[in-house]
Amino acid sequence: MGTKTADETGAETSAEATTEEKVNVAKTDAVTEAEDTSAEDTAADEIDDEDDLPEAAREEGPTGVGQGAGAVVSAALGLVSLTGSWVGTVASARQSLVGQLHAQTATSSDVTKLLDEGYGDAWKATAFWGGVFALIALVVGVGVLARPAFGAPGKPQATWIKSVAWGGVALGVVGLLLAVLKYTDLLLDLPSAS
């Protein structure tokens, strides 16, 4: 009664081990069920959060890359209209060459006519191409600024795009004004021959 045999001790140990295994399996099943439930709840929350988003945020809309590029192009063209371009330089050199050719073939030695053909036409060619670049800069800048009115409603235009586009418009206006003043000889006209 007070003594136990080896068979009884082994039976008790194996019964304890079986009970522990059952408890461990039950704990593992409970943890797995909890993880599955939390994953389902998280997925359901994500779907609910997605439904709360505005339609413009759910759908991929325009990113503004084209508008940003247009704004940069507008500013660059406005700057080119002020500083001069390769096209304007070539046109000016061509007109200067044409004026020199006319001067060499002309029998008259009218200095005013020679100045006008040799340098005045070249000056006007430079002014003309500067005005063309300024006008393109102005049109592109205004187009970029007006684009949101025709785009996705409720999606604001980035501030930097507006700033650069306004810069392009301002440079275009100044370039166009200077081109008109140069072309009409109101700014830096040809020196007099007398």
Side-chain angles (χ1 to χ4, degrees), residues 167-179:
V169 168
L171 288 172
V173 167
V174 171
L176 195 58
L177 179 66
L178 286 175

Side-chain angles (χ1 to χ4, degrees), residues 13-185:
T13 306
S14 113
E16 288 174 6
T18 306
T19 307
E20 286 179 20
E21 288 175 8
K22 288 180 183 177
V23 169
N24 285 340
V25 168
K27 285 181 182 177
T28 305
D29 288 342
V31 168
T32 305
E33 282 181 31
E35 288 175 356
D36 290 343
T37 305
S38 68
E40 289 173 3
D41 290 343
T42 304
D45 288 343
E46 287 175 2
I47 291 172
D48 289 341
D49 291 343
E50 208 172 276
D51 290 338
D52 293 340
L53 292 175
E55 189 173 317
R58 278 186 273 149
E59 297 175 5
E60 289 206 23
T63 58
V65 173
Q67 294 176 29
V72 170
V73 165
S74 172
L77 288 173
L79 189 61
V80 166
S81 75
L82 294 176
T83 61
S85 67
W86 178 80
V87 177
T89 303
V90 169
S92 173
R94 182 181 182 281
Q95 285 301 107
S96 180
L97 182 62
V98 168
Q100 289 173 5
L101 288 174
H102 282 195
Q104 288 178 355
T105 59
T107 57
S108 117
S109 61
D110 185 15
V111 177
T112 307
K113 185 175 180 185
L114 292 176
L115 278 174
D116 191 42
E117 288 180 358
Y119 300 102
D121 291 346
W123 180 252
K124 287 182 180 182
T126 303
F128 173 77
W129 284 104
V132 168
F133 279 102
L135 188 61
I136 294 171
L138 189 61
V139 168
V140 171
V142 168
V144 168
L145 291 171
R147 173 64 177 102
F150 304 106
K155 187 159 186 168
Q157 191 175 44
T159 306
W160 73 270
I161 294 174
K162 288 180 185 177
S163 299
V164 174
W166 274 114
V169 168
L171 288 172
V173 167
V174 171
L176 195 58
L177 179 66
L178 286 175
V180 168
L181 290 175
K182 286 192 300 187
Y183 195 84
T184 58
D185 291 331

